[in-house]
Amino acid sequence: MRKNKAIMIGAGLSNMAAAVYLIQEGKWQGNQITFYSLDDHGANDGAPTHDVTDDYWNKNHPLENTKGYVARGGRMLNYRTYVDLMDLLNRIPSATEPEMTAAEDTRDFDAKHRTFDKARLLQGGQGIIDGGHLGFNNQDRLLLTKLIAMPDSEEEKLDNVSIADYFKDDPHFFGTNFWYMWETTFAFRLQSSAQELRRYMHQMIYEFTQIEHLVGVNRTRYNQFESIMLPLINYLKDQGVKIVLNRRVIDWDFKDTTMQDEITVTGLEMINTTTNEKEHVAVDDDTAVIFTNGSITDSATLGDFDHPAAENMDYGAASSLWKKASERFYNLGNPDKFFADRDASEWVSFTLTTKDHLLLNEITRITTQVPGNALNSFLSTSPITLLGQKDVNMSIVVHHQPHFTSQKPNETVIWGYFLYPRRHGEFVDKPYIKMTGKEMVEELIGQLSKVDPGPGNIRDKSKQIMASVINNIPVYMPYASALFNNRAKTDRPKVIPEHATNLAFTGEFVEQPYQMIFTEQSAVRSGEIAAYHFAGIPMSHLVKTPRYDKDLKTLARAAKKMFD
Amino acid sequence: MKKHIFRLSLTIGAVVLGVAYVAKKTGFFEDDRHLYDEFESR
């Protein structure tokens, strides 16, 4: 239904994308659009630590040490698949590179810093492992082929089937190099949705042949806030879009109808988180409400060098509002599937800032690759999973330096994460989730020492490395993998739900054809669909999605790779 | 000669049918464009 004004709930990537498409394709004026949000960095964050200590989730957990940088998550791009994201970035100026669009900025940087991972997997006693040998047996190949061969129209067969369920007769699969790389490249867990794994196998099928080197991965010049979010914020503000921050929308007013299934928003209740006062915003007939109904960084908390990140038990802000809507209407999904199962979704990440390049150079020596090229995952040397298998302990991303525009030339920023934060460290005998930033650095040095080819060992330089640390910020993210949680197709609302007259859902917790989630691609596309709907633009004008899963050459290469 | 041509035709026919069957089973010719119809503004 066409509208002439829009209220955006949430100022993440998807809603910002919706606003850009409304302005550029719908020919709207910026002042027709208003955002209400807790903050404007979304999940694509990255900032000096002292800039985020006043953020909504951090206010109740003040930090003693606010030095250094923090990026709660880390993302990789892929031009070939992220076509909607690249289309969006091509429409806005870079925030850091004059005369370039944000897309040109990323392409320029990436062309000069191609990804070629030389140490994707490392294991004590073996050093760098040849990940190119995927390690499949025939049962693995059969089950994976069946998954890939399942057509889109039969996807419901995988409703409520977890990856562990799907491979229940084939535990060998979880001990293959393929699984170690796939789970840590994309952050899948055993409890994650097999339906989503199928979508990934389709949309990322060509990555199958090059996963050990991550050749298809593209990177932004700086952290994703400065290279993606800031260009969007700058552009939208220039266009006159109103971005109201420190607002938590807590409830809806819906139109009452006889059949009770028409979804028409008539008002929004929100809290001004600065004053703690309630505010009400009326929604008229000519206004669309575009709602990002979940965030993987909601309820995330920070620690510092001497303190672990506190566990925040809050249900997410966006998902709380989704829940209110889903309790009223039957076709808006089931937020509890994603936000009431932390065991399936939580991670701990850390952002390490050092004052020099000592640790950076040591990692470069051990992994044999230059910064900016890699995702390094450390495999355990003893069984650590419930199935009694080895698995990845921790992963690190050593960015090209500088990763922040305000970073001093001699400083280093490294990001890492623990996909299973309740597991115990090997060098610090406590669960990762209980570790301070300092203990995480000790664990990292320990893992590096196990794969150090010598001569000498990184442990010999532990004291100097510790002395070089400015800060290490652990981040607890209870919902980091929530978007992968086991689900049925009906557990997520459609971007435009049936019977909705002025409400659209955007982001990573919506159902849209073919798209895999946990990618800026799907987030942007959901915003694009919402914008086209309310601006009356035919869906045939959406950016065309390439189907590599129907490309015979790609399929043949993948089939061959299965036998490597 | 005719026998050979018949056998060859039969083989090619079987292969084509097999490929078509696999393509259909795997949704190779499925087109998802219609799935966006429900998102159109009305």
Side-chain angles (χ1 to χ4, degrees):
Chain A
M1 204 167 283
R2 288 187 76 144
K3 302 289 175 190
N4 286 301
K5 288 179 286 179
I7 288 175
M8 307 286 184
I9 306 176
L13 178 60
S14 54
N15 277 0
M16 296 232 172
V20 171
Y21 285 107
L22 282 170
I23 291 168
Q24 295 195 2
E25 296 297 320
K27 308 300 176 196
W28 284 26
Q29 299 298 310
N31 61 12
Q32 293 169 265
I33 302 166
T34 306
F35 282 79
Y36 293 104
S37 184
L38 284 170
D39 54 55
D40 61 359
H41 50 65
N44 292 60
D45 61 348
T49 309
H50 59 75
D51 284 3
V52 299
T53 48
D54 285 340
D55 274 8
Y56 181 76
W57 301 109
N58 302 330
K59 278 181 189 166
N60 293 332
H61 305 281
L63 298 181
E64 280 185 15
N65 181 347
T66 60
K67 295 176 191 165
Y69 293 88
V70 60
R72 292 175 296 186
R75 298 278 181 88
M76 296 180 279
L77 308 183
N78 187 292
Y79 300 154
R80 293 173 67 179
T81 310
Y82 293 19
V83 287
D84 295 77
L85 173 72
M86 296 313 292
D87 179 76
L88 175 71
L89 297 183
N90 214 24
R91 294 167 178 268
I92 54 172
S94 162
T96 59
E97 306 309 302
E99 311 300 320
M100 282 190 190
T101 66
E104 287 166 346
D105 172 7
T106 291
R107 287 184 190 278
D108 176 67
F109 171 80
D110 190 72
K112 293 168 183 163
H113 304 86
R114 289 277 186 221
T115 300
F116 189 86
D117 201 328
K118 293 165 75 177
R120 182 66 191 80
L121 293 175
L122 301 115
Q123 189 172 32
Q126 296 188 56
I128 298 168
I129 291 178
D130 176 15
H133 173 64
L134 299 183
F136 289 141
N137 64 17
N138 283 338
Q139 177 79 342
D140 302 332
R141 292 183 190 107
L142 180 69
L143 285 170
L144 213 49
T145 303
K146 275 186 176 175
L147 197 67
I148 296 168
M150 184 180 286
D152 295 349
S153 57
E154 292 180 18
E155 202 180 28
E156 280 90 346
K157 286 180 179 172
L158 294 172
D159 275 358
N160 295 314
V161 177
S162 69
I163 294 173
D165 292 336
Y166 184 80
F167 289 98
K168 65 180 185 298
D169 297 326
D170 181 29
H172 175 270
F173 178 78
F174 300 111
T176 59
N177 286 343
F178 168 79
W179 175 247
Y180 299 143
M181 291 187 286
W182 201 265
E183 67 169 339
T184 48
T185 302
F186 302 115
F188 276 100
R189 295 161 59 125
L190 293 178
Q191 308 99 313
S192 301
S193 161
Q195 202 169 73
E196 190 59 33
L197 177 64
R198 179 200 158 278
R199 286 197 181 196
Y200 263 75
M201 293 308 303
H202 277 237
Q203 211 165 348
M204 283 287 186
I205 185 72
Y206 63 86
E207 199 58 35
F208 197 86
T209 58
Q210 53 197 29
I211 190 167
E212 71 272 26
H213 297 307
L214 295 177
V215 173
V217 166
N218 310 110
R219 309 266 188 191
T220 52
R221 187 179 303 271
Y222 297 109
N223 63 86
Q224 296 211 331
F225 178 76
E226 293 187 274
S227 290
I228 293 181
M229 295 305 290
L230 198 53
L232 284 164
I233 294 166
N234 291 345
Y235 172 79
L236 293 176
K237 283 184 175 170
D238 280 351
Q239 295 296 314
V241 171
K242 196 172 166 191
I243 301 177
V244 183
L245 300 181
N246 300 310
R247 295 296 186 283
R248 178 172 176 171
V249 182
I250 55 168
D251 211 348
W252 310 88
D253 296 332
F254 289 110
K255 183 179 170 186
D256 284 317
T257 59
T258 313
M259 295 306 293
Q260 299 184 15
D261 58 1
E262 180 188 313
I263 305 171
T264 300
V265 182
T266 57
L268 298 170
E269 190 172 292
M270 59 187 79
I271 292 178
N272 178 330
T273 57
T274 309
T275 63
N276 272 331
E277 285 173 4
K278 276 193 180 174
E279 297 173 357
H280 187 271
V281 173
V283 178
D284 63 28
D285 286 348
D286 203 22
T287 301
V289 176
I290 302 180
F291 169 41
T292 301
N293 58 315
S295 167
I296 58 172
T297 49
D298 263 358
S299 310
T301 44
L302 312 184
D304 63 23
F305 194 63
D306 294 312
H307 300 90
E311 269 190 70
N312 179 351
M313 299 309 291
D314 291 347
Y315 208 84
S319 45
S320 296
L321 187 62
W322 175 18
K323 197 167 166 122
K324 286 262 171 73
S326 70
E327 283 165 356
R328 164 127 181 184
F329 299 102
Y330 58 82
N331 61 335
L332 300 185
N334 296 295
D336 280 355
K337 278 285 190 69
F338 309 95
F339 292 92
D341 188 5
R342 288 174 176 228
D343 187 43
S345 63
E346 64 185 4
W347 306 3
V348 168
S349 73
F350 62 88
T351 312
L352 171 60
T353 310
T354 65
K355 66 184 178 188
D356 58 33
H357 289 176
L358 176 59
L359 176 59
L360 185 75
N361 291 342
E362 282 296 289
I363 294 175
T364 301
R365 175 179 64 78
I366 292 168
T367 61
T368 71
Q369 62 195 11
V370 295
N373 260 345
L375 168 63
N376 307 119
S377 295
F378 297 93
L379 267 171
S380 68
T381 42
S382 55
I384 54 172
T385 73
L386 294 173
L387 295 169
Q389 291 171 310
K390 295 172 187 173
D391 199 8
V392 172
N393 278 320
M394 67 185 297
S395 300
I396 55 169
V397 173
V398 182
H399 303 289
H400 177 274
Q401 306 296 321
H403 191 51
F404 292 85
T405 52
S406 58
Q407 203 176 317
K408 291 180 188 135
N410 51 340
E411 287 178 346
T412 300
V413 176
I414 295 168
W415 182 84
Y417 80 101
F418 304 96
L419 192 54
Y420 292 89
R422 307 276 166 183
R423 286 181 184 162
H424 272 242
E426 212 172 328
F427 295 88
V428 178
D429 186 20
K430 58 167 73 170
Y432 302 120
I433 193 171
K434 301 285 184 197
M435 287 186 191
T436 64
K438 182 184 179 194
E439 289 164 339
M440 288 180 182
V441 181
E442 288 169 359
E443 184 68 26
L444 173 60
I445 293 172
Q447 292 297 332
L448 286 164
S449 73
K450 286 176 68 177
V451 296
D452 192 333
N457 190 284
I458 188 173
R459 286 191 83 81
D460 303 336
K461 297 175 184 169
S462 290
K463 275 190 182 168
Q464 296 105 295
I465 292 171
M466 275 299 175
S468 76
V469 176
I470 292 171
N471 205 351
N472 186 28
I473 304 288
V475 183
Y476 172 61
M477 293 180 284
Y479 307 121
S481 277
L483 63 202
F484 282 163
N485 279 15
N486 198 9
R487 64 167 196 259
K489 275 194 92 162
T490 49
D491 286 329
R492 304 184 298 184
K494 291 178 178 174
V495 179
I496 310 294
E498 199 177 5
H499 308 304
T501 66
N502 68 345
L503 178 62
F505 289 78
T506 59
E508 304 279 21
F509 295 89
V510 297
E511 190 61 41
Q512 49 179 326
Y514 182 61
Q515 297 292 311
M516 58 182 186
I517 34 84
F518 216 162
T519 61
E520 291 95 335
Q521 161 62 20
S522 59
V524 170
R525 194 169 181 85
S526 66
E528 192 184 350
I529 292 171
Y532 282 21
H533 175 82
F534 290 122
I537 302 166
M539 293 296 150
S540 57
H541 292 206
L542 289 168
V543 175
K544 298 284 174 277
T545 304
R547 293 294 300 245
Y548 300 110
D549 57 334
K550 297 186 179 186
D551 178 67
L552 290 176
K553 265 190 191 170
T554 305
L555 289 171
R557 276 200 295 267
K560 181 175 175 288
K561 183 75 176 178
M562 267 198 200
F563 289 87
D564 281 355
Chain B
M1 185 64 184
K2 271 187 183 175
K3 203 173 170 183
H4 282 304
I5 292 171
F6 178 70
R7 276 187 182 163
L8 185 65
S9 308
L10 209 61
T11 308
I12 291 170
V15 168
V16 168
L17 277 175
V19 168
Y21 176 76
V22 171
K24 186 166 177 3
K25 282 293 280 183
T26 57
F28 196 81
F29 298 120
E30 278 184 4
D31 183 351
D32 63 7
R33 274 178 295 187
H34 69 282
L35 297 175
Y36 288 92
D37 291 349
E38 62 182 318
F39 298 146
E40 296 286 1
S41 192
R42 294 178 212 289

